Amino acid sequence: QVQLVESGGGLAQAGGSLTLTCAASGLTFSSYAMGWFRQAPRKKREFVAAISETGDTYYGDFVKGRFTISRDNARNTVYLQMNNLKSEDAAVYYCAANSGYINSNSVLGQGTQVTVSS
């Protein structure tokens, strides 16, 4: 079965950067779209970014050029580089995988906490 393990979360200062990593197993990684969702306390889970099998990228409106998603098919890994972090970026970030498009039915990892101090 598909397993996704996130890492790289932690505490960052506002304006700082973090890179999240997601290691995937149990799938033909190069054939899957990968992505990230996030959920803050008392808020709905929201789409952050996705990257297709061919490398096309998609971002949530709030990203506004601050985040970059990338993938390394040789390592079965997807990354989320987050720059210029804001307090509202604090959330649990979940890695997602889907053999089609990234959507609410995608397989999710256990999540990694991102905290932003102002």
Side-chain angles (χ1 to χ4, degrees):
Q1 79 226 41
V2 176
Q3 288 192 321
L4 306 172
V5 179
E6 302 95 335
S7 60
L11 175 64
Q13 289 189 332
S17 300
L18 280 176
T19 299
L20 305 184
T21 299
C22 172
S25 60
L27 74 170
T28 304
F29 185 79
S30 60
S31 299
Y32 271 65
M34 301 297 296
W36 294 89
F37 288 86
R38 72 183 188 183
Q39 188 167 17
R42 298 175 298 281
K43 292 190 175 181
K44 291 184 178 180
R45 186 175 298 159
E46 64 178 341
F47 170 76
V48 177
I51 184 166
S52 72
E53 306 95 294
T54 56
D56 295 327
T57 57
Y58 309 88
Y59 296 95
D61 291 341
F62 64 87
V63 169
K64 298 188 188 304
R66 300 183 297 125
F67 297 178
T68 302
I69 188 171
S70 61
R71 64 190 298 159
D72 184 340
N73 289 343
R75 290 182 167 84
N76 284 14
T77 300
V78 63
Y79 306 95
L80 183 69
Q81 171 70 43
M82 303 187 294
N83 297 325
N84 192 19
L85 285 163
K86 304 177 181 181
S87 57
E88 52 264 42
D89 293 320
V92 177
Y93 283 71
Y94 298 91
C95 182
N98 199 310
S99 58
Y101 295 100
I102 293 297
N103 55 39
S104 60
N105 294 321
S106 301
V107 176
L108 298 179
Q110 83 289 350
T112 187
Q113 178 72 52
V114 171
T115 303
V116 182
S117 64
S118 56

